[in-house]
Amino acid sequence: MLRDRFSFLFALLLVLLCCLSVSADAASEDLPPGYAPSASNVAGEKFEFQSDNKKVLNIVINSLYKSKDIFLRELVSNSADAIDKIRFQSLTKPDILGETTDLAIKIVADKERKLLIISDTGIGMTAEELKKNLGTIARSGTSEFVSLLNDKNADLNMIGQFGVGFYSVFLVCDRVTVASKNNNSTKQYIWESTSENDFTIGEDPRGNTLGRGTEITLHIKDDALEFLEEHKLGELIEKYSEYITFPIYLWKSKTETVDVDSDDSTEDSEVEDVTPKTPKTETRTFHAWQKMNKNKPIWARAPAELSSEDYKEFYKAFSKDYDDPMGWTHFKAEGDNDFKSILFIPKRAPSNFLQKLETNVRNIKLFVRRVFITDDTELFPSWLSFITGLVDSDDLPLNVSRETLQKHTLLKSIKKKMIAKAIEMIRSIANDESKSAEFFKQFGVAIKLGVVSDAKNKDKLTKILRFHSSHSDELTTLADYKKRMKNKQPQIYYITGANLNTVKNSPVVEVPLARGYEVLYMVDPMDEYLLQQALSEFDGTPLQSLSKSGLLYGDEGSDEDESIKDKFADLSEWLQTVSVSTRLSKSPTAVIANKMGLSGNMEKIMSAQALQTGENHMLKYYQSLKKTLEINPYHPVIKALAEKIEKPDNEEELKQLAVVLYESALIRSGFELTDAHGFVGRIEQILRGSLGVSSDAEAEYTVVPAKEREDGDDKKKGDSADAEDVEHDE
């Protein structure tokens, strides 16, 4: 009886062992070979934190990090530093690597146990180093750290020295286990803490599983299980650690389609089936290591080592653009603040370029020792938002919030140097004849915005500006214009308008062009703001709009001019606000704005804005400034009008003609009519007079009244519609 009972228990034990073995095999298929999680609640010596660790965690969660994502960036960065240390030592002592020559970082997610494991083959830590390094912030002065964050005048360079990055793990886990093996230690040790008031250090019961390096096991909280998903881990690695020097491997699932042998065939089949059969396939899932950081940090290399193709390929991968960049600059700053940077100018402007100036454009990524920190840095002003690139600093701290980073003195120094390099790159492209025209077509408005908004760099940018000119079809600089100025020419002449055709055919350019003066054609809406707010003179020479009063040639005051004015004095007095023009040669009249007023083009721009924002009081003020009607004394229409005024037959008719003359001049000069209906009516009266039609004759049109709706029409329409539906159904 006892023997039977023993046999039964033995058989039951064998069944349980088989089930456990099958379960372990099934689980092991999803995990790397040799995977063995760190022991929990390790036996060892307990150490109490010498200050309140909860204060540290409160700082980490509420002051330093606004996102849980940061923990993986910090751990990978620490692993990279550890590998870099052993690599540096191996340069003089190659044997120090031993059998662990593969320098890499590996990440495994164990969903079943809710564990995330980050391991590296770096320098590792001894038991004493585990105690010292992982308890540094708690032992070296939490109160000092807190006061440093609260002190606005503190030296923020000190923040990075407290080593709080490791503690970001408690954003996502409630317990962390760190196993580490250093060459100076014969044993592998474990450090473990639940973020309370103490931590434990003891020998790893698994023995030396690492060879050398560190393995961090996070016991993930239930509200952070998303960080066990492969796609989430992949996104974080690509975002923050894509350019880490050493390879980062993620244990990922893959699927493949394989052929499956068919069991349908029989050996004793008498009739051979010659019909071709489609091979059977099935999809199988397996797991393998996948390298996640394939892109190389080319900015860390010397420019002389890189080709144009290297820069183009990197730009496309970095910016996700299909086109090659228009230009780039790669530089290294040394001195008090060491950093490397690559900046690119894209081939074309984005579709929403400069449409929302208040929106912070995140085109510049900030790295610290090749670890991505943020793209919300405000390193560039809005007018440089078309430039994309990165900056990698060796001196900035890793573990600071965006708000703290913005106040950092080193970041201000980086910003100043990067803007200077960006302007230098823009100047180089502007001077390249093969790229200049396209650059200003795509980004010219940004440079003009820079002249208006960036007082510190206004002079540099003004020299870069290019404009259309009557001199040639090529764009020209203001400096080149000055070189071509005529003898005693006191002003730089320009005209603004909606397009080149409009400004080239404007009446106000007739005399300047006929006399051989060069005229700048400014047809960008931004030009109006540029001229009003920032560009009134260049290198001591004032800019003069041909559409405004104040035009000078430098040779005024001749006797002939005075005699012409005397000859048309009666006409000027009769029309009021009229002067003899010095800019018209073919056209009879032109309307000239006040020196402080708006051009016709600017009035249209402001009117369009007023339609969106409501009444524009400033526009009304500028429109109220008196305009001048300039007449061409050599034009036959003006001569005839002057004669009519001396011997008027019909003064009312003359007044109507004068009004039409003024309104047509407004249109030709680019201004809008305030009374378009009245202008059309006056033109019609002139046509009537020319065609011999009476001024009070009306159109003979017979009005056919519309029929009134009768009662019952709606019911008839409804019956008709129902009948159509019935026919459709049948």
Side-chain angles (χ1 to χ4, degrees), residues 491 494 532 536 542-545 547-552 592-599 622 625-628:
Q491 299 167 329
Y494 71 88
Q532 277 202 334
S536 60
L543 273 70
Q544 173 63 43
S545 171
S547 301
K548 296 183 180 181
S549 61
L551 174 63
L552 298 173
I592 305 303
N594 185 284
K595 181 71 175 178
M596 303 303 296
L598 301 178
S599 66
Y622 280 117
L625 295 177
K626 192 171 292 185
K627 300 178 179 65
T628 301

Side-chain angles (χ1 to χ4, degrees), residues 139-393:
R139 297 195 312 114
S140 62
T142 301
S143 58
E144 182 183 355
F145 183 70
V146 173
S147 64
L148 183 64
L149 281 178
N150 293 330
D151 185 2
K152 295 181 180 179
N153 299 318
D155 180 9
L156 297 178
N157 286 310
M158 292 295 296
I159 289 180
Q161 298 179 13
F162 287 89
V164 298
F166 171 77
Y167 281 81
S168 64
V169 297
F170 292 112
L171 294 168
V172 298
C173 75
D174 48 24
R175 184 166 75 250
V176 59
T177 305
V178 181
S180 195
K181 172 66 174 65
N182 182 276
N183 286 340
N184 296 328
S185 176
T186 58
K187 297 179 180 179
Q188 182 171 302
Y189 290 92
I190 282 182
W191 179 100
E192 187 174 67
S193 177
T194 58
S195 78
E196 295 297 332
N197 298 316
D198 55 30
F199 56 90
T200 303
I201 297 178
E203 291 185 24
D204 193 335
R206 300 174 301 172
N208 183 7
T209 60
L210 298 175
R212 186 196 67 252
T214 301
E215 176 188 82
I216 301 175
T217 303
L218 309 183
H219 301 258
I220 302 298
K221 299 176 183 178
D222 289 338
D223 63 353
L225 294 179
E226 62 173 317
F227 295 104
L228 295 175
E229 299 295 334
E230 292 177 4
H231 68 87
K232 180 65 174 180
L233 293 170
E235 288 176 2
L236 295 183
I237 295 171
E238 183 178 356
K239 179 178 181 180
Y240 293 109
S241 309
E242 184 178 12
Y243 297 105
I244 290 291
T245 304
F246 306 102
I248 303 172
Y249 295 100
L250 179 63
W251 186 253
K252 292 190 68 174
S253 62
K254 296 183 178 181
T255 57
E256 64 177 1
T257 302
V258 297
D259 294 336
V260 180
D261 294 335
S262 176
D263 297 331
D264 294 341
S265 61
T266 56
E267 295 181 358
D268 56 351
S269 177
E270 297 180 0
V271 181
E272 182 180 358
D273 187 0
V274 295
T275 305
K277 295 183 178 180
T278 304
K280 290 187 176 181
T281 61
E282 68 176 15
T283 301
R284 294 177 180 175
T285 301
F286 66 99
H287 286 73
W289 292 112
Q290 181 174 336
K291 186 177 180 181
M292 303 301 294
N293 57 334
K294 297 179 182 179
N295 290 326
K296 297 180 180 180
I298 69 170
W299 66 84
R301 297 165 59 186
E305 299 175 4
L306 300 168
S307 65
S308 295
E309 289 304 316
D310 292 329
Y311 287 109
K312 291 175 182 177
E313 290 177 9
F314 175 79
Y315 167 76
K316 291 177 180 177
F318 179 81
S319 65
K320 308 299 185 289
D321 193 352
Y322 295 104
D323 295 321
D324 292 336
M326 186 181 294
W328 60 82
T329 182
H330 181 190
F331 61 95
K332 179 181 180 180
E334 295 179 327
D336 297 336
N337 186 8
D338 292 350
F339 67 89
K340 306 175 188 71
S341 177
I342 298 183
L343 302 176
F344 295 94
I345 294 179
K347 189 174 182 178
R348 52 179 56 89
S351 57
N352 60 344
F353 180 50
L354 292 180
Q355 290 185 6
K356 294 183 178 180
L357 294 180
E358 70 278 4
T359 302
N360 186 21
V361 181
R362 301 183 174 187
N363 283 355
I364 303 298
K365 294 185 177 181
L366 174 65
F367 290 77
V368 174
R369 296 182 290 281
R370 294 183 293 281
V371 177
F372 173 68
I373 302 301
T374 181
D375 55 5
D376 188 12
T377 58
E378 300 179 8
L379 280 171
F380 275 173
S382 58
W383 68 270
L384 278 176
S385 61
F386 63 93
I387 292 181
T388 185
L390 61 90
V391 57
D392 187 359
S393 172

Side-chain angles (χ1 to χ4, degrees), residues 127-140:
E128 185 61 29
E129 287 171 336
L130 282 169
K131 178 183 176 182
K132 178 182 177 182
N133 294 341
L134 300 187
T136 296
I137 182 171
R139 297 195 312 114
S140 62

Side-chain angles (χ1 to χ4, degrees), residues 603-615:
E603 280 195 6
K604 290 177 181 178
I605 293 173
M606 292 186 70
S607 295
Q609 292 175 344
L611 291 176
Q612 299 175 4
T613 60
E615 191 174 11

Side-chain angles (χ1 to χ4, degrees), residues 387-408:
I387 292 181
T388 185
L390 61 90
V391 57
D392 187 359
S393 172
D394 295 332
D395 302 322
L396 281 171
L398 272 171
N399 45 349
V400 293
S401 66
R402 174 193 173 276
E403 291 78 9
T404 305
L405 192 64
Q406 297 294 355
K407 303 174 186 176
H408 207 290

